[in-house]
Amino acid sequence: LSLRNNRIGDEGAIALGNALQNNSTLQDLNLGNNSIGDDGAVAIGVSLIDNMTLQVLILEENKIGPSGTEHIANALKVNRSL
């Protein structure tokens, strides 16, 4: 699923993070260039702890800073599908 260039921002990323926690089908998600910041990245990171279906996640060209990056990195330590 490509949602690239849709300006979803943190609000959209938080909603997607919530949805990804219950995801059992989506394997590929492109969120590139969506003005996602740390709040959105934290929500995505939290969802990746439980989501073992997603295999590809693209987050390039966003506004994710150190805090958001750290949350995603920590989630990737336990996530075995990405």
Side-chain angles (χ1 to χ4, degrees):
L1 174 65
S2 179
L3 297 175
R4 183 173 181 78
N5 298 320
N6 278 291
R7 295 185 231 150
I8 65 168
D10 284 332
E11 185 176 335
I14 291 168
L16 282 169
N18 291 334
L20 285 172
Q21 287 182 333
N22 300 313
N23 170 54
S24 62
T25 56
L26 185 65
Q27 296 179 348
D28 190 330
L29 180 59
N30 183 343
L31 295 175
N33 197 25
N34 269 297
S35 299
I36 297 170
D38 284 336
D39 290 342
V42 167
I44 290 169
V46 168
S47 74
L48 295 179
I49 293 171
D50 295 321
N51 183 310
M52 298 299 165
T53 305
L54 198 63
Q55 296 176 7
V56 176
L57 175 62
I58 299 171
L59 291 168
E60 66 187 0
E61 299 180 36
N62 279 292
K63 299 177 180 181
I64 301 170
S67 175
T69 301
E70 183 177 355
H71 277 81
I72 290 173
N74 287 335
L76 292 176
K77 291 177 184 177
V78 297
N79 182 295
R80 299 291 176 226
S81 64
L82 280 171

XYZ file of all heavy atoms in Angstrom:
599
model
N 0.856 -1.175 0.000
C 0.000 0.000 0.000
C 0.895 1.229 0.000
O 1.739 1.377 0.877
C -0.903 -0.003 1.235
C -1.773 1.232 1.457
C -2.798 1.379 0.344
C -2.450 1.150 2.812
N 0.729 2.076 -0.968
C 1.505 3.308 -1.015
C 0.625 4.498 -0.630
O -0.367 4.789 -1.292
C 2.090 3.543 -2.409
O 2.820 4.770 -2.415
N 1.012 5.151 0.449
C 0.370 6.391 0.879
C 1.357 7.545 0.766
O 1.191 8.577 1.412
C -0.140 6.253 2.321
C -1.216 5.206 2.536
C -1.548 5.065 4.010
C -2.467 5.555 1.742
N 2.357 7.375 -0.057
C 3.401 8.368 -0.259
C 2.807 9.699 -0.720
O 1.843 9.728 -1.482
C 4.393 7.840 -1.302
C 5.555 8.751 -1.531
C 6.599 8.110 -2.449
N 7.706 9.011 -2.622
C 8.663 9.210 -1.733
N 8.650 8.540 -0.608
N 9.624 10.064 -1.958
N 3.395 10.784 -0.240
C 3.013 12.149 -0.659
C 1.567 12.515 -0.335
O 0.909 13.199 -1.105
C 3.241 12.340 -2.164
C 4.679 12.197 -2.558
O 5.581 12.656 -1.867
N 4.919 11.521 -3.669
N 1.067 12.075 0.800
C -0.314 12.384 1.170
C -0.441 13.330 2.354
O -1.550 13.594 2.808
C -1.085 11.088 1.465
C -1.573 10.443 0.207
O -2.452 10.956 -0.461
N -0.978 9.310 -0.135
N 0.677 13.798 2.875
C 0.678 14.757 3.988
C -0.166 14.280 5.166
O -0.944 15.053 5.736
C 0.203 16.124 3.514
C 1.134 16.756 2.520
C 0.679 18.157 2.165
N 0.634 18.243 0.719
C -0.177 18.992 0.036
N -1.034 19.761 0.643
N -0.143 19.005 -1.272
N -0.026 13.036 5.531
C -0.838 12.514 6.631
C -0.386 13.050 7.984
O -1.170 13.086 8.915
C -0.876 10.971 6.646
C 0.500 10.390 6.932
C -1.457 10.421 5.367
C 0.470 8.926 7.237
N 0.880 13.442 8.099
C 1.397 14.025 9.333
C 1.329 13.071 10.510
O 1.089 11.869 10.366
N 1.529 13.627 11.693
C 1.509 12.814 12.903
C 0.123 12.229 13.172
O 0.003 11.071 13.577
C 1.957 13.635 14.108
C 3.456 13.847 14.144
O 4.203 12.992 13.617
O 3.892 14.865 14.711
N -0.909 13.010 12.932
C -2.270 12.540 13.205
C -2.594 11.287 12.388
O -3.112 10.299 12.916
C -3.282 13.643 12.906
C -4.698 13.282 13.276
C -5.674 14.426 13.061
O -5.253 15.598 13.079
O -6.865 14.134 12.894
N -2.266 11.323 11.114
C -2.508 10.157 10.259
C -1.629 8.985 10.634
O -2.063 7.832 10.600
N -0.379 9.268 10.990
C 0.538 8.196 11.381
C 0.083 7.532 12.683
O 0.220 6.315 12.839
C 1.952 8.744 11.523
N -0.462 8.314 13.597
C -0.984 7.741 14.841
C -2.169 6.822 14.534
O -2.266 5.715 15.072
C -1.356 8.860 15.834
C -0.080 9.552 16.338
C -2.185 8.315 16.993
C -0.321 10.855 17.084
N -3.051 7.259 13.653
C -4.193 6.420 13.261
C -3.711 5.138 12.583
O -4.221 4.047 12.862
C -5.128 7.203 12.344
N -2.726 5.259 11.717
C -2.174 4.076 11.051
C -1.483 3.159 12.054
O -1.592 1.925 11.961
C -1.195 4.473 9.950
C -1.834 4.938 8.656
C -0.792 5.565 7.745
C -2.511 3.773 7.956
N -0.781 3.735 12.997
C -0.140 2.935 14.035
C -1.157 2.112 14.805
O -0.942 0.923 15.059
N -2.271 2.729 15.137
C -3.340 2.006 15.835
C -3.876 0.862 14.983
O -4.115 -0.243 15.477
C -4.473 2.949 16.236
C -4.070 3.910 17.325
O -3.180 3.630 18.114
N -4.699 5.071 17.362
N -4.058 1.120 13.699
C -4.564 0.089 12.785
C -3.546 -1.032 12.594
O -3.917 -2.208 12.504
C -4.924 0.712 11.443
N -2.273 -0.688 12.552
C -1.239 -1.698 12.328
C -1.115 -2.674 13.498
O -0.656 -3.804 13.314
C 0.116 -1.025 12.077
C 0.296 -0.380 10.717
C 1.600 0.403 10.669
C 0.256 -1.423 9.605
N -1.535 -2.274 14.668
C -1.473 -3.184 15.815
C -2.348 -4.405 15.608
O -2.064 -5.481 16.132
C -1.877 -2.458 17.098
C -0.814 -1.492 17.561
C -1.179 -0.803 18.855
O -2.352 -0.628 19.170
N -0.172 -0.407 19.608
N -3.416 -4.252 14.833
C -4.344 -5.361 14.579
C -4.212 -5.915 13.164
O -5.019 -6.737 12.760
C -5.782 -4.896 14.818
C -5.985 -4.436 16.239
O -5.582 -5.109 17.168
N -6.589 -3.272 16.407
N -3.214 -5.466 12.437
C -3.032 -5.876 11.046
C -2.615 -7.338 10.943
O -1.702 -7.776 11.621
C -1.965 -4.991 10.393
C -1.549 -5.497 9.036
O -2.372 -5.712 8.165
N -0.254 -5.708 8.860
N -3.272 -8.064 10.053
C -2.851 -9.434 9.788
C -2.727 -9.707 8.293
O -2.518 -10.847 7.889
C -3.837 -10.427 10.420
O -5.120 -10.260 9.854
N -2.837 -8.647 7.465
C -2.752 -8.858 6.020
C -1.767 -7.930 5.308
O -1.087 -8.360 4.389
C -4.138 -8.694 5.351
O -4.659 -7.414 5.686
C -5.098 -9.770 5.810
N -1.692 -6.681 5.706
C -0.839 -5.711 5.017
C 0.635 -6.059 5.206
O 1.108 -6.181 6.335
C -1.117 -4.296 5.526
C -0.388 -3.158 4.806
C -0.857 -3.058 3.357
C -0.602 -1.854 5.534
N 1.355 -6.215 4.088
C 2.762 -6.606 4.149
C 3.713 -5.496 3.719
O 4.885 -5.535 4.063
C 2.998 -7.837 3.272
C 2.250 -9.049 3.760
C 2.471 -10.252 2.868
O 3.007 -10.152 1.770
N 2.069 -11.413 3.347
N 3.225 -4.517 2.976
C 4.087 -3.485 2.397
C 3.409 -2.128 2.565
O 2.280 -1.942 2.111
C 4.275 -3.805 0.903
C 5.321 -2.955 0.233
O 5.530 -1.805 0.647
O 5.932 -3.442 -0.731
N 4.093 -1.186 3.231
C 3.510 0.133 3.489
C 4.534 1.221 3.206
O 5.603 1.261 3.809
C 3.030 0.219 4.940
C 2.381 1.528 5.382
C 1.148 1.849 4.535
C 2.011 1.465 6.860
N 4.199 2.103 2.285
C 5.063 3.230 1.938
C 4.441 4.505 2.518
O 3.383 4.942 2.071
C 5.195 3.339 0.420
C 6.148 4.438 -0.012
O 6.491 5.322 0.769
N 6.569 4.399 -1.255
N 5.127 5.078 3.502
C 4.674 6.328 4.128
C 5.659 7.454 3.848
O 5.734 8.430 4.600
C 4.520 6.131 5.637
C 3.447 5.143 6.081
C 3.481 4.961 7.591
C 2.077 5.611 5.632
N 6.405 7.337 2.781
C 7.402 8.344 2.445
C 6.788 9.707 2.160
O 5.676 9.822 1.640
N 7.526 10.755 2.534
C 7.164 12.142 2.261
C 5.753 12.491 2.747
O 4.906 12.927 1.977
C 7.313 12.462 0.766
C 7.354 13.949 0.511
O 7.712 14.736 1.370
N 6.977 14.333 -0.693
N 5.527 12.296 4.034
C 4.218 12.555 4.609
C 4.245 13.496 5.811
O 3.266 13.582 6.544
C 3.564 11.231 5.031
C 2.734 10.649 3.921
O 1.757 11.238 3.498
N 3.126 9.480 3.448
N 5.348 14.173 6.038
C 5.474 15.102 7.164
C 5.228 14.431 8.511
O 4.678 15.034 9.431
C 4.527 16.305 6.996
O 4.848 17.020 5.827
N 5.630 13.183 8.631
C 5.505 12.461 9.889
C 6.652 12.880 10.797
O 7.811 12.855 10.399
C 5.528 10.939 9.661
C 4.328 10.511 8.811
C 5.550 10.183 10.989
C 4.386 9.079 8.325
N 6.317 13.267 12.020
C 7.320 13.662 13.004
C 7.478 12.607 14.080
O 7.078 11.455 13.913
N 8.032 13.022 15.201
C 8.307 12.090 16.281
C 7.048 11.446 16.851
O 7.045 10.247 17.139
C 9.075 12.785 17.407
C 10.537 12.993 17.066
O 11.070 12.251 16.218
O 11.153 13.895 17.654
N 5.975 12.199 17.027
C 4.752 11.623 17.597
C 4.209 10.496 16.724
O 3.820 9.437 17.225
C 3.677 12.693 17.796
C 4.016 13.672 18.905
O 4.888 13.352 19.744
O 3.411 14.763 18.933
N 4.191 10.714 15.427
C 3.729 9.678 14.505
C 4.666 8.485 14.477
O 4.229 7.329 14.430
N 5.956 8.757 14.537
C 6.947 7.677 14.524
C 6.855 6.834 15.785
O 7.011 5.611 15.735
C 8.342 8.250 14.358
N 6.583 7.468 16.918
C 6.418 6.723 18.169
C 5.238 5.762 18.043
O 5.325 4.589 18.415
C 6.234 7.682 19.370
C 5.758 6.931 20.599
C 7.535 8.424 19.662
N 4.127 6.244 17.504
C 2.937 5.397 17.333
C 3.219 4.232 16.393
O 2.801 3.100 16.651
C 1.766 6.228 16.817
N 3.937 4.498 15.331
C 4.293 3.422 14.396
C 5.227 2.431 15.091
O 5.069 1.214 14.960
C 4.918 4.004 13.115
C 3.840 4.743 12.313
C 5.561 2.897 12.276
C 4.374 5.569 11.166
N 6.177 2.951 15.843
C 7.096 2.086 16.570
C 6.377 1.173 17.542
O 6.665 -0.026 17.612
N 5.430 1.717 18.263
C 4.656 0.909 19.212
C 3.923 -0.207 18.472
O 3.889 -1.361 18.913
C 3.666 1.783 20.015
C 2.655 0.944 20.778
C 4.426 2.699 20.957
N 3.363 0.104 17.318
C 2.616 -0.907 16.560
C 3.529 -2.010 16.034
O 3.109 -3.156 15.904
C 1.858 -0.262 15.395
O 2.734 0.099 14.348
N 4.769 -1.681 15.762
C 5.694 -2.673 15.206
C 6.115 -3.717 16.229
O 6.591 -4.798 15.854
C 6.938 -1.979 14.643
C 6.707 -1.061 13.451
C 8.025 -0.430 13.015
C 6.063 -1.809 12.294
N 5.923 -3.433 17.491
C 6.259 -4.414 18.526
C 5.373 -5.650 18.399
O 5.836 -6.779 18.553
C 6.144 -3.781 19.924
C 7.230 -2.717 20.094
C 6.230 -4.841 21.021
C 7.091 -1.880 21.338
N 4.103 -5.448 18.063
C 3.153 -6.556 17.958
C 2.892 -7.012 16.527
O 2.420 -8.119 16.317
C 1.815 -6.163 18.596
C 1.947 -5.927 20.082
O 2.691 -6.680 20.726
O 1.319 -4.982 20.597
N 3.164 -6.162 15.559
C 2.851 -6.487 14.171
C 3.947 -7.353 13.569
O 5.070 -6.894 13.372
C 2.690 -5.198 13.356
C 2.295 -5.474 11.916
O 2.918 -6.281 11.245
N 1.279 -4.807 11.463
N 3.611 -8.592 13.248
C 4.581 -9.499 12.641
C 4.201 -9.855 11.206
O 4.676 -10.838 10.647
C 4.717 -10.776 13.486
C 5.216 -10.524 14.886
S 6.860 -9.778 14.899
C 6.968 -9.201 16.576
N 3.327 -9.036 10.615
C 2.880 -9.266 9.245
C 3.595 -8.331 8.270
O 3.981 -8.739 7.182
C 1.355 -9.053 9.138
O 0.711 -9.885 10.097
C 0.849 -9.400 7.754
N 3.774 -7.083 8.664
C 4.400 -6.090 7.792
C 5.845 -6.491 7.494
O 6.612 -6.807 8.392
C 4.363 -4.725 8.480
C 4.561 -3.497 7.596
C 3.443 -3.386 6.573
C 4.620 -2.248 8.442
N 6.188 -6.511 6.206
C 7.531 -6.912 5.789
C 8.341 -5.751 5.228
O 9.567 -5.799 5.221
C 7.442 -8.031 4.748
C 6.822 -9.290 5.296
C 6.659 -10.365 4.240
O 7.114 -10.238 3.114
N 5.984 -11.436 4.614
N 7.651 -4.717 4.728
C 8.324 -3.550 4.156
C 7.660 -2.293 4.710
O 6.437 -2.165 4.659
C 8.223 -3.546 2.608
C 8.835 -2.279 2.032
C 8.867 -4.781 2.015
N 8.474 -1.393 5.249
C 7.977 -0.110 5.750
C 8.920 0.981 5.262
O 10.094 0.989 5.603
C 7.908 -0.103 7.277
C 7.506 1.222 7.931
C 6.089 1.621 7.501
C 7.595 1.114 9.440
N 8.403 1.897 4.480
C 9.205 2.993 3.941
C 8.786 4.280 4.645
O 7.616 4.669 4.614
C 9.023 3.114 2.413
C 9.475 1.818 1.740
C 9.781 4.322 1.878
C 9.150 1.728 0.263
N 9.768 4.931 5.266
C 9.522 6.174 6.005
C 10.423 7.312 5.546
O 10.571 8.307 6.254
C 9.739 5.931 7.509
C 8.717 5.039 8.199
C 9.196 4.645 9.588
C 7.375 5.741 8.272
N 11.005 7.192 4.376
C 11.940 8.214 3.899
C 11.250 9.563 3.700
O 10.034 9.635 3.533
C 12.594 7.769 2.585
C 11.606 7.669 1.434
C 12.210 7.080 0.182
O 13.395 6.732 0.161
O 11.474 6.960 -0.811
N 12.034 10.616 3.776
C 11.582 11.982 3.519
C 10.452 12.428 4.456
O 9.460 13.005 4.024
C 11.184 12.153 2.059
C 12.331 11.909 1.088
C 11.934 12.083 -0.356
O 11.114 12.969 -0.654
O 12.447 11.314 -1.188
N 10.590 12.127 5.729
C 9.663 12.609 6.749
C 10.429 13.509 7.704
O 11.572 13.877 7.435
C 9.016 11.421 7.467
C 7.866 10.846 6.666
O 6.835 11.465 6.495
N 8.061 9.625 6.153
N 9.816 13.879 8.794
C 10.425 14.799 9.765
C 10.676 14.093 11.104
O 10.496 14.663 12.159
C 9.517 16.013 9.953
C 9.314 16.790 8.669
C 8.366 17.939 8.852
C 8.212 18.681 7.526
N 7.325 19.821 7.636
N 11.076 12.849 11.011
C 11.298 12.040 12.209
C 12.645 12.395 12.811
O 13.674 12.311 12.145
C 11.219 10.543 11.873
C 9.842 10.212 11.279
C 11.508 9.698 13.108
C 9.731 8.830 10.692
N 12.613 12.788 14.085
C 13.834 13.171 14.788
C 14.378 12.025 15.628
O 13.953 10.878 15.498
N 15.295 12.346 16.526
C 15.947 11.317 17.348
C 14.973 10.487 18.195
O 15.133 9.274 18.312
C 16.899 12.115 18.235
C 17.166 13.372 17.476
C 15.892 13.665 16.738
N 13.983 11.110 18.796
C 13.048 10.384 19.648
C 12.239 9.356 18.856
O 12.109 8.200 19.253
C 12.106 11.357 20.353
O 11.137 10.660 21.095
N 11.701 9.784 17.738
C 10.933 8.874 16.886
C 11.791 7.758 16.327
O 11.381 6.597 16.270
N 13.005 8.107 15.935
C 13.937 7.113 15.404
C 14.262 6.068 16.462
O 14.318 4.868 16.178
C 15.229 7.795 14.915
O 14.880 8.751 13.901
C 16.211 6.798 14.355
N 14.448 6.519 17.686
C 14.762 5.592 18.777
C 13.613 4.612 19.026
O 13.844 3.421 19.230
C 15.063 6.366 20.057
C 15.455 5.484 21.211
C 15.831 6.270 22.455
O 15.878 7.516 22.405
O 16.054 5.626 23.484
N 12.381 5.093 18.990
C 11.232 4.206 19.201
C 11.125 3.161 18.096
O 10.857 1.991 18.371
C 9.940 5.016 19.308
C 9.694 5.555 20.665
N 10.299 6.695 21.133
C 8.931 5.100 21.671
C 9.903 6.922 22.371
N 9.071 5.963 22.721
N 11.329 3.579 16.875
C 11.266 2.618 15.767
C 12.412 1.618 15.866
O 12.225 0.412 15.682
C 11.253 3.350 14.411
C 9.907 4.078 14.239
C 11.491 2.368 13.266
C 9.809 4.953 13.046
N 13.606 2.092 16.183
C 14.760 1.199 16.324
C 14.531 0.171 17.427
O 14.843 -1.014 17.257
C 16.020 2.008 16.599
N 13.978 0.596 18.551
C 13.696 -0.336 19.643
C 12.653 -1.372 19.241
O 12.757 -2.540 19.615
C 13.259 0.419 20.895
C 14.406 1.136 21.559
O 15.564 0.758 21.419
N 14.094 2.205 22.269
N 11.651 -0.949 18.473
C 10.634 -1.894 18.003
C 11.243 -2.919 17.052
O 10.884 -4.097 17.083
C 9.500 -1.140 17.308
N 12.178 -2.480 16.232
C 12.807 -3.394 15.277
C 13.675 -4.446 15.964
O 13.951 -5.496 15.383
C 13.628 -2.608 14.249
C 12.803 -1.764 13.290
C 13.715 -0.946 12.390
C 11.865 -2.633 12.465
N 14.046 -4.197 17.204
C 14.818 -5.193 17.958
C 13.983 -6.429 18.263
O 14.531 -7.516 18.405
C 15.343 -4.587 19.262
C 16.416 -3.554 19.062
C 16.839 -2.957 20.396
C 17.854 -1.846 20.210
N 18.206 -1.212 21.508
N 12.663 -6.254 18.383
C 11.796 -7.389 18.698
C 10.950 -7.850 17.504
O 10.465 -8.963 17.483
C 10.871 -7.089 19.900
C 11.686 -6.852 21.153
C 9.963 -5.922 19.618
N 10.794 -6.990 16.517
C 10.006 -7.327 15.339
C 10.826 -8.252 14.451
O 11.960 -7.953 14.098
C 9.614 -6.059 14.580
C 8.753 -6.347 13.390
O 9.180 -6.978 12.445
N 7.518 -5.876 13.428
N 10.246 -9.369 14.057
C 10.976 -10.363 13.235
C 10.508 -10.418 11.786
O 11.003 -11.213 11.020
C 10.843 -11.749 13.865
C 11.411 -11.845 15.260
C 12.922 -11.724 15.215
N 13.455 -11.732 16.576
C 14.369 -10.890 17.008
N 14.856 -9.973 16.221
N 14.806 -10.960 18.239
N 9.564 -9.550 11.405
C 9.080 -9.598 10.026
C 9.672 -8.506 9.150
O 9.741 -8.653 7.935
C 7.556 -9.517 9.986
O 7.092 -8.285 10.491
N 10.130 -7.415 9.759
C 10.721 -6.326 8.975
C 12.222 -6.510 8.872
O 12.876 -6.995 9.743
C 10.436 -4.967 9.629
C 9.062 -4.404 9.368
C 8.807 -3.184 10.240
C 8.898 -4.018 7.923
